[in-house]
Amino acid sequence: MILALEYHRSPARYLAAARLPGRLRPAAVPSLAPLRLSHRQPPGPPGPGWVRLRTVLSGICGSDLAMAAGKVSPYLGPLTSMPFVPGHEVLAELMDDVDGMPAGTRVVIDPVLPCRARGTGPCPSCASGHENRCDHVNAGRISSGLQTGFCADTGGGWSERLVAHRSQLHRVPESLPSERAVLAEPLACAVRSVRRIDVPRGTTIVVVGAGTVGLLTVLALRELTAAGPIIVIARHAGQRRRARALGATETIDPSAALRGLRRITGGSLVRPELGPGYLLGGADIVIDCTGGEGLDTALRLVRAGGTVLLSGMPSKPTDLTPAWYRELNVVGSYASRGAEDFGAAIDLAAHDALDGFVDSVYPLTRWRDALSHALSAGRSGSVKIAFAPQNGGTPAPRGEASSNAGGTDHLDREGAL
């Protein structure tokens, strides 16, 4: 038997969490979320090529928090299977030998569950090398699940054990500390985002949101593209400091976003009688890294004919009039494109500016405290909160995460900006 934190279908709890005012979420969501700590049988390999993993660290992602807070679109419902164990940002040790890697090797997993893992297809997307767009995520030898951490058969990182297909595994260099290695999956998503669009030399880019996704996107932009000015819209002083350390040219508080960007890029500020203002002019590219909370802002900051990139899971309705009137290019970026992006992500994980990103690590028995901390991370100055499922003790305090500690993509739903 293993200890696992399970997500069960409960419309009543989901709707109750969704109705909470933002200021109450850190305290109330952990009690309302349909999560249950349980002892269960460990998942077994569902077919050839699958291996068992022992979880070392698993981060708490913004999409996990949105799920707990009742903010996930019903669109994704058919692409999950219940009950599932969350946790898709996973650092683990192999329990079985596979592809030249002996048991005990540290690996990070690409959580996408495409045709290769499911024993189907390949579908047209997988055949073209875009496994993150797989059309068979509800077919094959395992239950529906767009990713590990949303599939009933694979388990997830918020447990002591899970299973993964060998194609999902990426070896971690011995020199890379665990608290950096666990950032590989959100880093791979950031790499995918910046590779999803053309970034000509000198392009002016605005990143809306400075939670984990936003900060890692700044790093990927600075290290992997020829971007010019990178302006980050961040709500909290600690986020602004980290953004500058990662390569941001300038940071702006959300309340001053329109005026600040007009000063930097030129153009004129327009204020309708109802609703927020917008720029005529603006940035070449605006990347929303808030999970949809900042999409409306992004659409109002980009120049005519510019690009808005969705790097977080959308969570609220948005007025798309700017996309129509200004002929904007609205582009989505989901997960990563496998080994190519993970290779770059593991290299980026060694960057010194990521030191201290994982500052608190909790045992599964303290899951309510962990979620509460993650929901208020922006205000508290934290970036990434993680679970150490093999640790039955107390959470590592801020600034004292052990060498076996790690973090994940956290988006503070109130403080991501």
Side-chain angles (χ1 to χ4, degrees):
M1 301 293 284
I2 61 169
L3 193 64
L5 188 58
E6 294 180 326
Y7 185 94
H8 292 257
R9 179 173 282 110
S10 176
R13 284 179 171 266
Y14 185 88
L15 292 173
R19 293 190 182 105
L20 286 170
R23 66 183 182 279
L24 297 181
R25 287 178 198 160
V29 163
S31 296
L32 288 175
L35 290 162
R36 183 185 308 164
L37 191 63
S38 63
H39 287 88
R40 57 178 285 175
Q41 291 292 334
W50 285 79
V51 296
R52 299 172 301 157
L53 303 175
R54 181 181 296 107
T55 309
V56 176
L57 291 170
S58 183
I60 301 175
C61 171
S63 59
D64 298 323
L65 295 174
M67 173 188 66
K71 299 297 182 181
V72 177
S73 168
Y75 178 95
L76 298 175
L79 309 182
T80 64
S81 49
M82 304 281 179
F84 61 79
V85 176
H88 58 274
E89 298 174 3
V90 182
L91 170 69
E93 293 177 347
L94 291 176
M95 298 180 66
D96 306 301
D97 299 342
V98 60
D99 290 347
M101 294 186 291
T105 299
R106 289 186 310 158
V107 295
V108 290
I109 68 168
D110 178 352
V112 174
L113 294 168
C115 292
R116 281 193 295 172
R118 295 176 170 278
T120 64
C123 69
S125 293
C126 288
S128 67
H130 292 88
E131 291 188 328
N132 59 325
R133 303 176 185 173
C134 179
D135 292 326
H136 290 166
V137 292
N138 57 353
R141 62 168 59 101
I142 56 175
S143 302
S144 295
L146 69 167
Q147 292 187 0
T148 299
F150 300 94
C151 175
D153 294 337
T154 63
W158 296 6
S159 67
E160 294 173 317
R161 297 255 296 272
L162 69 155
V163 294
H165 190 262
R166 62 189 178 190
S167 62
Q168 295 179 273
L169 306 177
H170 301 277
R171 189 170 192 160
V172 174
E174 292 184 7
S175 60
L176 189 64
S178 293
E179 68 271 16
R180 298 283 191 85
V182 78
L183 296 172
E185 196 278 338
L187 274 166
C189 295
V191 170
R192 170 62 176 165
S193 290
V194 304
R195 289 175 170 173
R196 184 77 175 88
I197 54 176
D198 183 32
V199 183
R201 181 171 298 277
T203 298
T204 298
I205 299 179
V206 172
V207 176
V208 183
T212 304
V213 170
L215 292 171
L216 297 183
T217 298
V218 171
L219 177 63
L221 283 168
R222 194 50 83 200
E223 295 293 322
L224 302 178
T225 77
I230 300 174
I231 300 100
V232 177
I233 299 176
R235 190 184 302 275
H236 303 288
Q239 295 173 332
R240 292 191 284 272
R241 286 194 299 271
R242 288 185 183 273
R244 289 190 291 270
L246 290 165
T249 309
E250 190 162 347
T251 60
I252 306 174
D253 185 271
S255 64
L258 287 168
R259 297 189 303 276
L261 196 60
R262 180 183 61 176
R263 170 178 54 81
I264 295 168
T265 65
S268 59
L269 173 57
V270 178
R271 293 195 180 278
E273 291 183 7
L274 298 174
Y278 56 90
L279 293 180
L280 295 177
D284 301 310
I285 297 170
V286 181
I287 305 177
D288 174 32
C289 296
T290 67
E293 298 285 330
L295 178 56
D296 188 70
T297 299
L299 291 167
R300 294 166 186 270
L301 295 178
V302 70
R303 64 168 173 80
T307 297
V308 172
L309 177 68
L310 307 181
S311 188
M313 180 178 65
S315 62
K316 62 184 294 186
T318 300
D319 182 0
L320 294 177
T321 302
W324 162 73
Y325 177 64
R326 306 286 281 165
E327 292 195 335
L328 304 180
N329 302 297
V330 180
V331 179
S333 179
Y334 167 68
S336 66
R337 198 175 171 183
E340 181 181 358
D341 291 342
F342 264 85
I346 290 171
D347 288 342
L348 288 176
H351 198 288
D352 288 343
L354 298 180
D355 190 38
F357 260 51
V358 179
D359 66 3
S360 292
V361 178
Y362 288 81
L364 289 173
T365 53
R366 299 288 303 279
W367 65 271
R368 290 185 177 86
D369 293 333
L371 293 187
S372 180
H373 189 168
L375 283 160
S376 61
R379 288 184 293 275
S380 69
S382 295
V383 179
K384 186 63 64 181
I385 311 302
F387 286 115
Q390 309 299 329
N391 176 14
T394 57
R398 186 174 171 219
E400 298 180 17
S402 72
S403 61
N404 290 324
T408 187
D409 168 2
H410 164 65
L411 291 178
D412 175 2
R413 306 307 297 181
E414 281 297 297
L417 292 181

